[in-house]
Amino acid sequence: MSDAICTREYACFGGTVGYYEHPSQTCQTTMRFSVYRPSRRGPVPVLYFLSGLTCTEENFMVKAGAQRYAAEYGLMLVVPDTSPRETNTPGESDAWDLGTGAGFYVNATQAPWQKHYQMYSYVVNELPALIAQSFSIQSSAGICGHSMGGHGALVCGLRNRDRYRSISALAPIAAPMQCPWGKKALTQYLGSDQTTWHDYDASQLVLTHSDERPILIDQGAEDEFLTQGQLLPEVFKKACQQTGQPLTLRMHPGYDHSYYFIATVIGDHIRHHAKALGAV
Amino acid sequence: MSDAICTREYACFGGTVGYYEHPSQTCQTTMRFSVYRPSRRGPVPVLYFLSGLTCTEENFMVKAGAQRYAAEYGLMLVVPDTSPRETNTPGESDAWDLGTGAGFYVNATQAPWQKHYQMYSYVVNELPALIAQSFSIQSSAGICGHSMGGHGALVCGLRNRDRYRSISALAPIAAPMQCPWGKKALTQYLGSDQTTWHDYDASQLVLTHSDERPILIDQGAEDEFLTQGQLLPEVFKKACQQTGQPLTLRMHPGYDHSYYFIATVIGDHIRHHAKALGAV
């Protein structure tokens, strides 16, 4: 495995924010990610954060204010980009909700996406192996995300109990098979046979993959995408109730889908993971 | 005085981030500012934050993570834009360190700037009057800023003891008469007679306007603009020592000029002001 190259680095809350790139075997192109390393010495637990549509590896590090809490609990934050970029895949830049910035954390099986758009395997396998090789970390990890990244966190988390001790999501696309964003992306990346979509729909997955890990979800009640039926947390909640999956779903009156909402609740999420990862 | 219009609003840490615009009599054009209102009821103290070169009223609200602390102490944050914009002033968009995004918090006396570039009076007089008319606030206020805005905070603060109970700055341009950015801007806005510059140079002003208010300054030791001689905190420190002005100047090894630095120390600044404003 090739090493990641640090392209820029900033001191922050006693630790360091670093931006990295590396040649990805999984995505067959250069991939980028960011890391916050706390000042705490010795191996630290890792929290992966998956970002939403249009984001890069930078948005969360700049806007969420998460470093303060990660510093407090001694957690490393790892934030991958949301897709491969500049791969010359036909149509990759035609829409903001497909292709570039919109990898949806799936392994594409359909042309023209299948060569590069392997974000599920990238996030679950290649990136953690690279992080383990590059930094002093504990084996325990948590996974969190926002919107499309909330979907990714629920899917990666539920399908990989051995890899993630804790799962949470902010305003996730919680039932992608039933919402316009999800239907569009899953059709393009996976094809029209919807049986292949189940592995990437948290509300389906939890019916067969429920376990004892408590899931935390925060959702703004005035989120325009909630109103538009893109997020559907109630579908996920019902599935959790059906199968006994512990879930805390908190609705926040007045809050929307923005980073002002993320900044407001991210402290609670980092505490949720810190507790599960033995960092509290 | 015309009312300010709220153009967009976001829930954040129990309060509200709002973006406003209004016709400014002082700057003879539309001016913009942002406000964070904490959830605390009744009149609240106000902290003004002046931003650096190229910033708008948005950068600080998005990147600094200040709302968490303002919510904690029940402070309102008010963040003006850094200059008039789109005024058709010749050359206003030719350089990033002059004109648009670079008002330097002075009242320009020279053509072509003198019609619109009246940022000192705007920040010290018109904006506070508008804020008092528009929101439920206490009369006590503090002033803080970063880089060019740190210069602005020191100058506005030192010259207006009756208006600001507390002053602080992050990586301020602390002796603009002696640095390239300051010389360029002051020459353009005020002309070549340097006696007119004294009123806008904190290291000069403190010699005649020192008082008992303790000033807090934080500075990254690896700040590239410190190395380039644009900031000169040691000149300001020497002037404070000469005149007995209480100053805490903290150098932070490893930190640069970025918002990662601002986010790291802004909590201490908000506490500094909250204490002086009786909010702790």
Side-chain angles (χ1 to χ4, degrees), chain A residues 22-273:
Chain A
H22 71 112
S24 164
Q25 291 190 329
T26 308
C27 295
Q28 294 285 304
T29 188
T30 299
M31 289 296 291
R32 292 198 291 264
F33 61 91
S34 62
V35 171
Y36 177 68
R37 283 182 294 155
S39 62
R40 181 176 293 185
R41 289 187 185 194
V44 292
V46 181
L47 175 59
Y48 290 88
F49 186 91
L50 306 183
S51 304
L53 286 165
T54 77
C55 286
T56 70
E57 74 283 10
E58 189 170 13
N59 302 63
F60 181 76
M61 283 294 179
V62 171
K63 297 182 171 182
Q67 294 91 335
R68 175 178 172 178
Y69 308 97
E72 187 179 341
Y73 296 113
L75 290 186
M76 177 178 287
L77 303 174
V78 177
V79 183
D81 198 356
T82 55
S83 76
R85 291 180 190 267
E86 297 174 5
T87 61
N88 292 319
T89 302
E92 69 182 344
S93 303
D94 291 356
W96 64 274
D97 55 0
L98 192 74
T100 303
F104 266 87
Y105 308 100
V106 304
N107 288 339
T109 58
Q110 304 298 301
W113 308 105
Q114 83 283 9
K115 180 176 178 193
H116 299 292
Y117 283 72
Q118 300 292 321
M119 288 299 290
Y120 175 78
S121 289
Y122 176 71
V123 164
V124 169
N125 297 317
E126 187 177 12
L127 181 60
L130 181 62
I131 295 297
Q133 172 191 294
S134 309
F135 302 98
S136 175
I137 60 165
Q138 295 176 11
S139 60
S140 56
I143 192 161
C144 176
H146 173 241
S147 195
M148 175 183 76
H151 142 74
L154 294 173
V155 165
C156 295
L158 285 167
R159 286 174 61 178
N160 296 279
R161 190 180 165 182
D162 54 327
R163 290 190 183 274
Y164 306 105
R165 266 202 222 166
S166 49
I167 306 171
S168 78
L170 298 80
I173 301 173
M177 289 180 68
Q178 300 181 41
C179 79
W181 279 338
K183 285 179 190 170
K184 177 179 177 180
L186 296 175
T187 302
Q188 287 289 316
Y189 293 137
L190 304 177
S192 53
D193 175 5
Q194 297 197 9
T195 59
T196 66
W197 297 9
H198 284 216
D199 278 352
Y200 297 109
D201 182 297
S203 297
Q204 289 292 327
L205 278 171
V206 77
L207 297 175
T208 48
H209 289 68
S210 66
D211 59 51
E212 80 296 343
R213 291 171 299 172
I215 296 175
L216 172 64
I217 295 181
D218 280 304
Q219 174 63 55
E222 268 61 65
D223 184 330
E224 62 179 303
F225 301 116
L226 179 70
T227 317
Q228 289 174 17
Q230 297 282 21
L231 307 177
L232 305 172
E234 68 281 4
V235 174
F236 184 69
K237 185 180 180 179
K238 196 174 164 191
C240 286
Q241 286 169 338
Q242 238 176 289
T243 187
Q245 170 66 45
L247 168 70
T248 303
L249 169 60
R250 307 189 300 186
M251 300 299 292
H252 298 269
Y255 285 84
D256 66 6
H257 202 67
S258 71
Y259 264 91
Y260 299 106
F261 167 63
I262 298 179
T264 302
V265 299
I266 196 67
D268 286 352
H269 284 255
I270 292 180
R271 261 186 294 279
H272 170 82
H273 292 280

Side-chain angles (χ1 to χ4, degrees), chain A residues 8-15 17 19 58 61-65 67-69 72 253-256 258 260-261 263-265 271, chain B residues 8-15 17 19 58 61-65 67-69 72 253-256 258 260-261 263-265 271:
Chain A
R8 50 202 172 97
E9 205 170 45
Y10 307 89
C12 189
F13 283 100
V17 172
Y19 290 89
E58 189 170 13
M61 283 294 179
V62 171
K63 297 182 171 182
Q67 294 91 335
R68 175 178 172 178
Y69 308 97
E72 187 179 341
Y255 285 84
D256 66 6
S258 71
Y260 299 106
F261 167 63
T264 302
V265 299
R271 261 186 294 279
Chain B
R8 50 203 173 98
E9 205 169 44
Y10 307 89
C12 189
F13 282 101
V17 172
Y19 290 90
E58 191 169 11
M61 283 293 181
V62 170
K63 296 181 172 183
Q67 293 93 334
R68 174 178 173 178
Y69 308 97
E72 186 179 341
Y255 284 84
D256 67 6
S258 71
Y260 299 106
F261 168 64
T264 302
V265 298
R271 261 186 295 278

